[in-house]
Each structure stands twice: as structure tokens, then as C-alpha cells.
Amino acid sequence: MRLGVAVAVLAWAIAAADDTCWFGGVTREQCCDARFGEGGNRNCWDETYTFERCCALPPAPAPPRDPAVAAAPWPACVETDVVLRHRGAHAIFVDASVFGHDGCFLGNCAFTDKFVAVDSGICARACAEFDECTDWSFGLQGGSRKCFLRKSDEARETARGWRSGSKACAPPALSPGFAALAIAESAGVKACDGARDVEKCPDSLAAARTWILAIKHLIRAASGRVDPETMQHIDRIGTDSQNLVNSITGYYRPGDADFGRVVYNNRLIFNSLRDWLVMHPKAELREDDLSLPNPLRTGALCGNRSCYEER
């Protein structure tokens, strides 16, 4: 343990989240006090002694959600010091690979109830994405901040530093048409238009993943609002973009011509719908809004594993 204390302790003698963490003059107040913020005093922790282990509140049922808090606008609707556990019944397992690329169930972010994130707003946006999600939690687990996605809030526990909310507790939603056009016209995507220039567009996989995100929003905006032939074209560019990603990550490596063809067709469809898309409600996009994916927050491409992966 740090703070000038180096004492060897047998693993069997240490109980999780109890007072055996405190010896050699180091106290709970020095390490866990709320004034240090989430994660406590970081000078206290190492691989053996962690905030979760030494500062966690004893597991105890949390009181029911306060209706007044739940009805408040974002972020006042967020509950503090409450985590929603799975307990074998309350998790949803979904493809969260747009939102997360690490810390997922069995390492598979395409079938998971949790993932590493940097902001609670990402959890809230993820929950809003999936019909079966009713609630979310965000807090420290295993040394990383994670999102939990849940289908109920029945397994409520007190947990220091955790935040939770219902599906309705989320940053303001973006209209799908606005999001689709903003992603398609983001700086990273536009740099990959035309004949691929490796200097301007070095990462074809990230570009293809970003196009998939744009098309996903376009499908939502267009469903039931465009003629069947146009919808067929939109579905086709979505399929072609996903096939391109599958090829890039598979045994067959597509050439620049394959990439250029897919990108050309994507741009053609978006350009043909641009006048309609610009009529959708707009929103302010801010770089400091960590709940947004890369293309909407900074104009950068998605990562190779998720659209929140730092580039």
C-alpha cells in the first residue's frame, strides 16, 4: 500500500471491503473521503488495495427511486450512490459495440450487458438505443468505469460513486436525420471520399464503421417516410458497408477499388437525400459532450472497435 507504507499481508487474511485495509496509520478518511471525488484518494491504491475493495459501502438495498428525481431533466435525473445489479435476472445482452470496445461480458462487446465508458451519458444514450433497456448504471468496477444495461431497477444497491437512471434519464436525443447527415459530412468521413488517399484517409476500417453509423441513423430517419425504392437503396448501402467491414476484418482484404465503390454509393444516396435531411431538427454538437460518438463530437472517425474509441 502507498502513502509511505509497505507491509506484506497474506491474501487469505484480507477480507474485501472491510477494515483490514487500514493499518500503519493509514485511515479510511485519508483514502475514501468524498472530498477526493470518484475513486477516492488515488495515492492510496495499488493492485491489492483498491477503492472498490477498501471504500465500498456494505451491500445494502437502495431505497426506491425518488419520482421527483426521475422526472427531472438531464442530468438532475441521475441517482447517486446507487448501482443496479444483474443478480442473474436483470441484465440485457445486446450488441453494444458502437458504444464500447473493452470491459464487456466475456470480452464480447457484440453480446454484453456492460462495457467501459468515460461518461455516464454514454450509458444513458446506449440504454435509449435498445428497446429492452429500461435502466442503466455507471461506476467503477475492476479499476475501470463501466456502464451496466438493465431491464429493471429491482436489484438496487447502495454503492459509493455509482450513478444510475431510467431510460428517460438521458441527454437530449438527436433527430436521426440530423445525426445521419452530420456524421456523413463530418471531417473524417469527407477526407475518405473519392479515390482513397492514404495520407488523408489512413484507416479504411474506421471509415467504413463510421459510414455504418451514419446509415444506421439514416435508416431510422427514412423508415416509413420515403418510397420503397429509396428505402431499398438505403438498405443496400448499409449491407454493402457491413460487408466491407466483414471483408476488412476477415481473410479477404478488399482493395482500394472496393472501398471506393462502397463510399461512392454511400455518398450518392446521402447527396440525393440531403435537401430532405437538412430539414430535420438540428442540435448543438459540442466537443466537451462526452456522451457523443467521435464523428458527432469532434468530427473524427469511429475507432476500429467502437465509435467512442479515442483516436
Side-chain angles (χ1 to χ4, degrees):
M1 196 170 189
R2 296 176 187 168
L3 289 179
V5 179
V7 179
V9 181
L10 291 176
W12 56 263
I14 305 171
D18 65 22
D19 287 340
T20 60
C21 290
W22 316 117
F23 55 89
V26 181
T27 66
R28 181 182 297 273
E29 289 69 28
Q30 288 176 312
C31 296
C32 301
D33 194 89
R35 71 179 183 275
F36 296 115
E38 185 180 10
N41 184 347
R42 299 186 185 278
N43 292 319
C44 293
W45 316 128
D46 59 19
E47 292 182 359
T48 302
Y49 296 94
T50 65
F51 173 80
E52 293 172 280
R53 173 180 179 174
C54 300
C55 300
L57 298 171
R65 183 174 288 145
D66 183 341
V69 172
W74 175 267
C77 54
V78 177
E79 298 179 282
T80 57
D81 294 334
V82 173
V83 62
L84 307 179
R85 300 293 186 190
H86 172 31
R87 289 189 189 163
H90 305 292
I92 65 166
F93 290 85
V94 294
D95 183 354
S97 56
V98 166
F99 299 93
H101 55 272
D102 200 5
C104 299
F105 177 68
L106 297 180
N108 182 9
C109 293
F111 185 75
T112 188
D113 67 323
K114 59 186 177 181
F115 55 88
V116 169
V118 297
D119 187 77
S120 60
I122 300 173
C123 313
R125 288 196 187 275
C127 186
E129 180 88 3
F130 302 107
D131 290 341
E132 57 266 56
C133 185
T134 63
D135 298 88
W136 56 268
S137 287
F138 174 72
L140 202 61
Q141 184 190 53
S144 300
R145 289 180 291 178
K146 290 186 180 181
C147 294
F148 291 170
L149 302 179
R150 300 292 182 248
K151 58 186 176 182
S152 80
D153 73 338
E154 293 180 22
R156 299 168 58 85
E157 283 185 8
T158 58
R160 191 189 307 274
W162 279 79
R163 304 170 204 165
S164 297
S166 68
K167 189 187 198 79
C169 182
L174 303 177
S175 70
F178 168 76
L181 188 60
I183 295 168
E185 297 191 346
S186 61
V189 171
K190 292 182 78 172
C192 294
D193 277 359
R196 183 166 169 246
D197 184 330
V198 177
E199 288 187 7
K200 293 180 180 178
C201 181
D203 195 334
S204 58
L205 176 58
R209 287 196 185 281
T210 308
W211 268 115
I212 287 173
L213 182 65
I215 294 166
K216 185 167 145 187
H217 285 289
L218 180 59
I219 289 171
R220 286 183 183 166
S223 293
R225 297 181 180 89
V226 298
D227 61 87
E229 185 178 357
T230 299
M231 199 68 222
Q232 246 182 359
H233 288 309
I234 294 171
D235 288 336
R236 181 53 188 259
I237 63 171
T239 299
D240 287 349
S241 296
Q242 185 59 61
N243 288 341
L244 179 64
V245 166
N246 295 343
S247 296
I248 294 172
T249 57
Y251 292 108
Y252 166 70
R253 293 294 184 268
D256 288 345
D258 298 302
F259 177 84
R261 174 184 54 79
V262 171
V263 168
Y264 175 84
N265 289 335
N266 292 351
R267 183 62 69 195
L268 190 66
I269 296 300
F270 271 80
N271 284 347
S272 70
L273 295 171
R274 191 179 191 284
D275 289 345
W276 174 67
L277 291 172
V278 296
M279 296 169 58
H280 287 70
K282 297 174 176 56
E284 180 186 6
L285 301 176
R286 304 191 323 273
E287 188 170 347
D288 63 352
D289 184 354
L290 299 179
S291 74
L292 295 173
N294 295 347
L296 293 173
R297 188 170 69 85
T298 65
L301 296 174
C302 293
N304 284 332
R305 296 176 295 169
S306 83
C307 287
Y308 288 83
E309 188 175 357
E310 187 175 350
R311 296 192 62 83

